[in-house]
Amino acid sequence: MAEPGRQQVVHRVRELLARYRDPAQVDGLGDHEPLAVLGVDSVTLITVAAELHQRWDLTIPDDAVLDPAASVASLADAAVGGAADGADRPGGRLDVVGMGVVAPTGHGVPALWDGLLAERAHRLPMPYDAARGHRAGAVAGASAAEVVAPDRLLDLVCLAAGEALDGLDPGRRAGVTLVVGTTDTGGNALGHALAGAGDDRAALAGWVAERAAEQLGLGAAVTVGSASASGAVALGYARDLLLAGDAEEALVVGADTVSKSAFHGLAALRTLGVDGCQPFHEARRGIALSEAAAACLLRRPSPGGPADDAVLGRLAGYGASSFTTHMAAPESAGIELALRRALAAAALAPGDVSFVNAHGPGTKLGDVAEMRALADVFGDRVRTLPINSVKGLLWHCQGAAGVIESLACLLSLRHGTLTPTTAAEPVDPQWREHDIVTKPRELADARSAVSVSCGLGGVNTAVVWERA
């Protein structure tokens, strides 16, 4: 197909800029005037460049995007040579054809949904330091001994994966690529390995995907480690594999246990609170840890696929950033960039989003940074945009958080109901005018949702989900 002319690219650049700045000001700006006149920063320009690529296959080199003197004309000139075609097309969508979960709400997706609505979850005294009042979220029915077992991580991965694979023809399993997002070894696996007990591979989180693939009869396997955003990053990695044609199907599992190293490490960073996660609460004090595993089976849409493959939802877009000035404190600009990239990948405007499932850890700085990022992306609409977080009930599932919170989005879209943000009330005064969802709410017309996940070290992600 013919490449678009330069003036057509200029028009497209202006169209996208008008989403982030006053359209009248964008119209009045000369083609060669620096965009800095409008207060356009590099975060916005990276987002514009990403959307130009997603919608029209127009590629702008990084040096042109980050040039302090960047203008509409310079961006258009840089993009014209990389144009592939002039078709207006959305980013690649992937079908969700299987889900599985084990969590403090219990075993299985139905138990997750029922538990979120009823605000019911299982807790145990923290195995490593119960004296100070810390508790841990545990799979319903689990004992303290099970929670710290050396193969706990592998067991949780296989349980969640097994549910997501239920109904898949066994002959197709070898074509499924397993992507596991996790942060740590299971229970006290490292201590057991150093003592010479059990399988040495259990001491290294990097082995979990390979061991699970062996048990489940799957094909290629990879483990992704990106702190508490591991599950979401695993979704992004699987998306790249599928859209590039490097995998036929991908099973993403986010999983973590309450390990000794994680507990003491987070305690040293002073991010733990004895009251559990209290997202957006006026007296929030920090996070509490939970074990969990959640699985999502993804596939490229195929009109000729098996008739019994029910599509449970669609992964529409993904965005990530690595952006921080402090290991344990997220930066709003990094979260904003991830959000803008995810929306650009999905070819959606902020006004197209029905609700946001926030990272919502219930930390003093984390909640503030996230809400500031949402305000920067959604503008005045942030006050009426429904926002919830499942961490108030599930607590922080670490590597599992990105996937289990995505499942919560998919279930809300399917059922037309938003789940409550447990332990959010009384809401911090700075957000009392916002729509923080604290009770189950019908939202029958919800079409799309964004799930935000962040991790230590400045890992920020956003995933856009759509109703099937």
Side-chain angles (χ1 to χ4, degrees), residues 182-268:
T182 189
T183 70
D184 205 347
T185 53
N188 192 20
L190 182 58
H192 282 80
L194 292 174
D199 189 338
D200 287 349
R201 295 184 301 172
L204 300 174
W207 282 103
V208 68
E210 184 172 323
R211 296 175 73 205
E214 289 174 1
Q215 288 195 21
L216 297 164
L218 304 179
V222 63
T223 302
V224 174
S226 295
S228 296
S230 293
V233 174
L235 286 165
Y237 182 87
R239 177 179 181 269
D240 288 345
L241 286 178
L242 290 166
L243 293 181
D246 293 332
E248 294 299 318
E249 295 172 282
L251 177 63
V252 180
V253 184
D256 252 316
T257 67
V258 180
S259 72
K260 189 172 186 177
S261 56
F263 171 72
H264 287 296
L266 290 169

Side-chain angles (χ1 to χ4, degrees), residues 22-59:
D22 179 33
Q25 291 184 333
V26 173
D27 287 343
L29 186 75
D31 285 355
H32 296 278
E33 287 187 81
L35 293 171
V37 172
L38 298 180
V40 175
D41 57 17
S42 59
V43 171
T44 302
L45 290 182
I46 289 170
T47 305
V48 168
E51 189 160 359
L52 280 168
H53 180 70
Q54 290 292 337
R55 293 180 63 183
W56 297 297
D57 278 349
L58 293 166
T59 300

Side-chain angles (χ1 to χ4, degrees), residues 300-383:
R300 290 189 303 276
S302 174
D308 60 345
D309 277 347
V311 177
L312 307 174
R314 291 189 174 88
L315 197 169
Y318 169 81
S321 72
S322 181
F323 193 111
T324 190
T325 56
H326 188 283
M327 181 178 179
E331 295 280 348
S332 65
I335 301 172
E336 178 191 353
L337 180 55
L339 282 162
R340 293 196 186 281
R341 283 176 166 167
L343 291 172
L348 294 179
D352 297 324
V353 176
S354 303
F355 69 93
V356 170
N357 183 282
H359 178 64
T363 61
K364 284 290 185 184
L365 299 179
D367 287 4
V368 170
E370 184 173 14
M371 292 298 282
R372 184 176 297 129
L374 291 175
D376 289 339
V377 172
F378 291 96
D380 291 340
R381 186 179 174 236
V382 74
R383 293 182 179 274

Side-chain angles (χ1 to χ4, degrees), residues 4 7 10-11 13 75 97 109 120 129-130 145 194 239 244 267 273-274 288 290 296 311 351 390 400 417 435 442 449:
Q7 198 54 42
V10 166
H11 173 75
V13 171
L75 294 180
V97 294
V109 173
R120 180 181 60 247
D129 191 357
L194 292 174
R239 177 179 181 269
V274 295
S290 284
C296 185
V311 177
V390 301
T417 302
D435 189 8
E442 183 178 344

